[in-house]
Amino acid sequence: MADIKIYSAVVCPYAHRTRLVLQEKGIDFDLIEIDLQNKPEGFTRVSPYGKVPAITHGENRVWESAVINEYLDEVFPNPPLLPSNPIAKAQARIWIDFANTRLVPAFSTLLRSPDFQKQEEAKQELYKHLEFIENEGLGKLSGDGPYWFGESISLVDFTFFPWFERWAALKHYRSFGIPAEFTRVKQWKHALKERESVKAIAHSKEFYIERYAKFATPVPVAA
């Protein structure tokens, strides 16, 4: 039995983040799948918010994916997934916050809202966020390397990637793929997809299209 237990749900992108970190670091863990529509009795003793992911590490418990991932990076420091330089570490935390407060809400609104006007507004917002990532993130921080901070994979990469693995659902249900002009974003996504830790738990486009069907109604296509 592993010291680490992760409470997860296969469709949850937040849990996906933490599973990627565990895979990348080669940490032995027990995976406990939670049915979010039928949560087991006592789950809130592990996850007070009633959400995944949550982990237990011995007698300790930690919840919220960004917090869990920093905890894992401190307790299992090799390989390090945050820069050691204070300003670079601050930049990493800024981008993690950007994912949580900007990209993810726009993605969710576009996929889940039944209101066409809100979908169009979310498309515009998501485009601006991708543009910001292209120019201010990857364009300024990655240099010639494949990842957010160049040659070294980081928590920032694993924070964003689960939504990009699910992008097929946006393309299928909302006709919004990643625009061709965002070449750095596309290169970054390809590099992540080839990472062994990512491939180990990856799912197909069809998997996400099927799983997200209940959240989205396809936009009618004009004849």
Side-chain angles (χ1 to χ4, degrees):
M1 183 178 293
D3 285 342
I4 296 279
K5 292 184 177 68
I6 176 172
Y7 295 78
S8 177
V10 69
V11 77
C12 176
Y14 294 97
H16 192 173
R17 290 172 164 178
T18 296
R19 290 180 63 201
L20 287 171
V21 171
L22 290 166
Q23 292 287 149
E24 184 68 26
K25 287 181 171 288
I27 300 169
D28 189 27
F29 63 92
D30 291 331
L31 177 63
I32 301 168
E33 281 287 316
I34 299 296
D35 180 353
L36 295 174
Q37 306 306 314
N38 186 26
K39 297 170 189 174
E41 185 178 352
F43 178 54
T44 54
R45 288 197 293 270
V46 175
S47 177
Y49 296 169
K51 300 193 300 184
V52 295
I55 67 166
T56 59
H57 183 199
E59 297 299 315
N60 300 315
R61 58 183 182 157
V62 188
W63 58 96
E64 289 295 295
S65 61
V67 179
I68 294 169
N69 289 353
E70 282 213 36
Y71 173 81
L72 292 172
D73 198 47
E74 290 183 2
V75 175
F76 302 93
N78 293 310
L81 294 178
L82 277 177
S84 57
N85 177 278
I87 188 59
K89 187 178 291 185
Q91 289 170 336
R93 288 174 172 147
I94 287 169
W95 282 108
I96 290 168
D97 180 75
F98 182 89
N100 292 340
T101 62
R102 307 297 177 91
L103 184 90
V104 170
F107 183 108
S108 182
T109 298
L110 178 53
L111 182 66
R112 293 170 180 261
S113 177
D115 183 274
F116 180 76
Q117 182 59 38
K118 288 184 179 179
Q119 290 174 19
E120 290 302 302
E121 291 171 358
K123 283 183 182 180
Q124 294 176 23
E125 187 176 357
L126 202 50
Y127 184 93
K128 290 179 181 178
H129 295 336
L130 289 172
E131 187 175 46
F132 193 72
I133 290 169
E134 177 84 5
N135 297 323
E136 288 295 322
L138 298 170
K140 292 185 177 180
L141 297 175
S142 66
D144 294 327
Y147 307 119
W148 216 277
F149 285 96
E151 297 296 333
S152 299
I153 196 86
S154 75
L155 292 185
V156 178
D157 300 290
F158 292 139
T159 293
F160 279 89
F161 183 75
W163 280 267
F164 284 87
E165 185 170 292
R166 288 158 175 76
W167 211 280
L170 283 189
K171 187 172 183 180
H172 182 80
Y173 292 113
R174 299 293 182 248
S175 301
F176 188 80
I178 298 173
E181 58 266 33
F182 298 137
T183 56
R184 298 300 294 263
V185 172
K186 286 178 171 286
Q187 291 167 5
W188 167 84
K189 181 182 177 184
H190 177 75
L192 265 290
K193 285 175 66 178
E194 295 303 309
R195 193 87 182 175
E196 288 302 318
S197 56
V198 173
K199 290 196 289 187
I201 58 173
H203 289 290
S204 67
K205 295 177 181 179
E206 292 74 21
F207 174 88
Y208 291 114
I209 289 169
E210 179 183 345
R211 290 299 181 103
Y212 282 105
K214 62 184 177 181
F215 299 121
T217 302
V219 176
V221 177

